[in-house]
Amino acid sequence: AQTVTQSQPEMSVQEAETVTLSCTYDTSESDYYLFWYKQPPSRQMILVIRQEAYKQQNATENRFSVNFQKAAKSFSLKISDSQLGDAAMYFCPARSEKLVFGKGTKLTVNP
Amino acid sequence: DGGITQSPKYLFRKEGQNVTLSCEQNLNHDAMYWYRQDPGQGLRLIYYSQIVNDFQKGDIAEGYSVSREKKESFPLTVTSAQKNPTAFYLCASRSDAGTGRRETQYFGPGTRLLVL
């Protein structure tokens, strides 16, 4: 079965500092994407960043970057220069067609 | 503006009642999805549809039904057979252009369903 594990239920970071959220996944597919979505208190799911599994280069999007370790099936998200608006639940679903979600990590940003 | 709309924002269901949640998209996306989210949990797939007049069960389809008569619309009915319907429901859509099945899913704002 496809699974996604986010081992950190909660994380906190000081404003302007850097935080890394962990994610591991298990899939038998060879062609897939990995995503990080954020869900703020409004509960809207917002795409943060995505990574094609066949690409070795890690994706970056402004202050957000990933560390994709395909052999280890690890896909962590690094948020640099954290802002108050980054506070949210973060999910890292995986799969090629149907997304499989873990339980998420709640990120708190302290002023 | 292009996007995904869900209505209503809040919905109340009485015991034994069927209710329908609306999902509309004007992104010209081929695939649409319904997810359920319970407190402190991730999303679980209820149903999905890749083309008009076709849909497949997801992981938790029991007690739910869907239709896909138009490309832009994918309504979800929560039937009386769903014994624990209180949850947050999210609709998503995905284009089949580009990389196709691996394209990004985009989400609507969600509907909160409560049982009276």
Side-chain angles (χ1 to χ4, degrees):
Chain A
Q2 313 284 342
T3 58
V4 171
T5 302
Q6 294 181 251
S7 59
Q8 307 153 315
E10 296 188 25
M11 292 282 285
S12 63
V13 63
Q14 290 297 124
E15 194 175 4
E17 295 191 347
T18 296
V19 63
T20 299
L21 307 183
S22 301
C23 176
T24 58
Y25 63 94
D26 184 22
T27 180
S28 58
E29 298 184 31
S30 59
D31 187 18
Y32 55 93
Y33 274 25
L34 297 161
F35 304 89
W36 277 97
Y37 285 88
K38 66 181 281 188
Q39 189 179 39
S42 67
R43 305 196 75 174
Q44 171 91 48
M45 292 290 282
I46 302 166
L47 177 71
V48 174
I49 198 167
R50 71 176 189 178
Q51 171 81 41
E52 292 109 308
Y54 67 89
K55 285 189 176 180
Q56 294 186 346
Q57 185 174 7
N58 290 326
T60 62
E61 193 72 46
N62 299 316
R63 297 183 295 107
F64 300 89
S65 61
V66 300
N67 182 6
F68 176 45
Q69 302 290 327
K70 191 170 185 178
K73 295 183 177 177
S74 169
F75 182 59
S76 61
L77 174 70
K78 185 171 83 171
I79 306 174
S80 303
D81 186 26
S82 297
Q83 300 176 359
L84 296 177
D86 295 333
M89 286 290 293
Y90 284 81
F91 296 94
C92 60
R95 197 138 176 209
S96 63
E97 180 179 12
K98 295 184 287 181
L99 295 180
V100 177
F101 284 79
K103 293 186 177 182
T105 296
K106 181 179 180 182
L107 178 65
T108 301
V109 181
N110 299 311
Chain B
D1 289 347
I4 304 171
T5 58
Q6 291 186 240
S7 62
K9 188 173 182 179
Y10 296 95
L11 185 58
F12 299 91
R13 194 191 91 164
K14 296 180 181 179
E15 292 289 338
Q17 185 182 42
N18 292 354
V19 292
T20 297
L21 285 61
S22 169
C23 178
E24 303 276 335
Q25 53 96 3
N26 60 5
L27 301 168
N28 199 34
H29 284 176
D30 301 287
M32 297 186 74
Y33 303 79
W34 274 107
Y35 293 90
R36 169 179 171 144
Q37 186 179 27
D38 293 285
Q41 302 294 318
L43 278 62
R44 293 183 290 168
L45 182 63
I46 304 172
Y47 268 99
Y48 65 106
S49 167
Q50 299 179 73
I51 56 172
V52 175
N53 293 322
D54 187 47
F55 48 83
Q56 289 79 41
K57 292 182 179 180
D59 300 318
I60 55 166
E62 186 175 352
Y64 300 96
S65 66
V66 294
S67 63
R68 186 86 186 276
E69 297 177 1
K70 298 185 296 182
K71 186 175 184 178
E72 59 270 22
S73 178
F74 190 40
L76 173 73
T77 297
V78 184
T79 74
S80 57
Q82 173 50 243
K83 298 306 179 186
N84 185 24
T86 296
F88 187 63
Y89 292 86
L90 283 158
C91 177
S93 71
R94 174 184 56 76
S95 172
D96 266 346
T99 55
R101 299 184 316 154
R102 292 173 287 113
E103 280 290 348
T104 302
Q105 291 188 23
Y106 294 95
F107 288 82
T111 293
R112 178 100 168 120
L113 176 60
L114 298 167
V115 176
L116 297 177

